[in-house]
């Protein structure tokens, strides 16, 4: 099957499916664990154990203590983090949007000052979270690309620039009706 065989009515569904596959591949629970570890050499096993211990030690040091940082961590908590794939799709339907637009919201790719108050209130109501939580999430800095990460390109990947709310709505493969609805909020 080639791209020329795809009808316009299926193109949007295929795009949404591709976005979902990409999103799922970035989730931590998508890590592959070998089913048969009996063939792992003792040297590899020791190296893996040493790496896991070092990683655990680093994560413990970075975790905020309960006395300080709890309010700050709660203020920038991602309200989208608790959604599985089905819940994410349901929320997209409730917001009259698609997965691509939802990913832009979740990943803070939209300039928060360009979102209307009505839209933020609408999102908070549909997610059943306080408006302050949604506003704090959208206003937090966009996630950075980790340093020391390996990549195959000649240049280091860069985080994409944020879009205005209008640009995000217009560039997310939304229908004309969806665009008008979201921009009217």
């Amino acid at each position: 099957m080639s791209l020329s065989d795809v009808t316009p009515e299926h193109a949007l569904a295929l795009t949404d499916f591709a976005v979902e596959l990409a999103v799922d591949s970035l989730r931590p629970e998508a890590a592959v664990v070998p089913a048969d570890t009996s063939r792992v050499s003792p040297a590899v096993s020791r190296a893996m154990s040493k790496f896991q211990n070092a990683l655990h030690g680093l994560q413990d040091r970075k975790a905020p203590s309960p006395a300080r940082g709890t309010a700050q961590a709660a203020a920038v908590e991602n309200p989208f983090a608790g959604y599985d794939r089905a819940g994410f799709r349901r929320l997209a339907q409730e917001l009259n949007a698609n997965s691509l637009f939802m990913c832009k919201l979740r990943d803070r790719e939209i300039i928060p000052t360009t979102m209307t108050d009505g839209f933020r209130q609408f999102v908070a109501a549909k997610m059943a979270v306080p408006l302050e939580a949604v506003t704090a999430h959208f206003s937090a800095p966009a996630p950075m690309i980790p340093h020391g990460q390996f990549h195959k390109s000649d240049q280091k990947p860069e985080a994409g620039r944020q879009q205005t709310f209008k640009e995000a709505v217009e560039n997310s493969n939304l229908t004309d009706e969806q665009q008008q609805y979201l921009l009217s909020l």
Side-chain angles (χ1 to χ4, degrees):
M1 180 174 174
S2 69
L3 289 177
S4 62
D5 296 334
V6 177
T7 61
E9 63 195 45
H10 295 104
L12 188 58
L14 286 172
T15 302
D16 285 343
F17 182 69
V19 168
E20 288 174 22
L21 282 176
V23 168
D24 285 348
S25 72
L26 297 176
R27 290 194 176 273
E29 58 267 8
V32 176
V33 179
D36 182 18
T37 58
S38 62
R39 293 188 228 168
V40 176
S41 74
V44 170
S45 181
R46 282 191 302 273
M48 289 171 48
S49 177
K50 190 174 183 180
F51 171 76
Q52 290 295 330
N53 290 339
L55 181 62
H56 181 69
L58 286 173
Q59 289 172 339
D60 281 349
R61 275 190 267 159
K62 290 181 179 179
S65 67
R68 68 171 210 274
T70 305
Q72 183 181 19
V76 293
E77 185 175 319
N78 186 340
F80 295 94
Y83 286 92
D84 61 359
R85 183 189 306 181
F88 198 71
R89 283 183 186 165
R90 237 182 341 272
L91 180 61
Q93 288 177 343
E94 291 174 12
L95 293 176
N96 197 21
N98 62 17
S99 297
L100 179 58
F101 182 74
M102 294 297 295
C103 288
K104 289 179 180 185
L105 289 175
R106 182 198 60 205
D107 298 340
R108 296 184 286 261
E109 293 180 10
I110 302 172
I111 301 168
T113 55
T114 62
M115 293 182 200
T116 63
D117 291 335
F119 176 75
R120 283 194 293 268
Q121 291 170 355
F122 177 65
V123 171
K126 292 296 183 182
M127 293 181 78
V129 296
L131 175 61
E132 294 78 23
V134 170
T135 302
H137 168 71
F138 291 148
S139 299
M144 301 283 293
I145 295 175
H147 293 290
Q149 191 76 16
F150 293 107
H151 46 86
K152 292 184 179 184
S153 68
D154 292 336
Q155 300 150 340
K156 181 179 179 193
E158 298 177 5
R161 74 167 186 86
Q162 287 184 308
Q163 300 176 326
T164 66
F165 179 66
K166 185 177 181 185
E167 288 172 337
V169 168
E170 291 172 349
N171 299 326
S172 294
N173 295 330
L174 296 166
T175 65
D176 290 337
E177 294 80 23
Q178 289 174 315
Q179 289 182 32
Q180 290 172 2
Y181 179 75
L182 293 171
L183 292 173
S184 70
L185 294 172

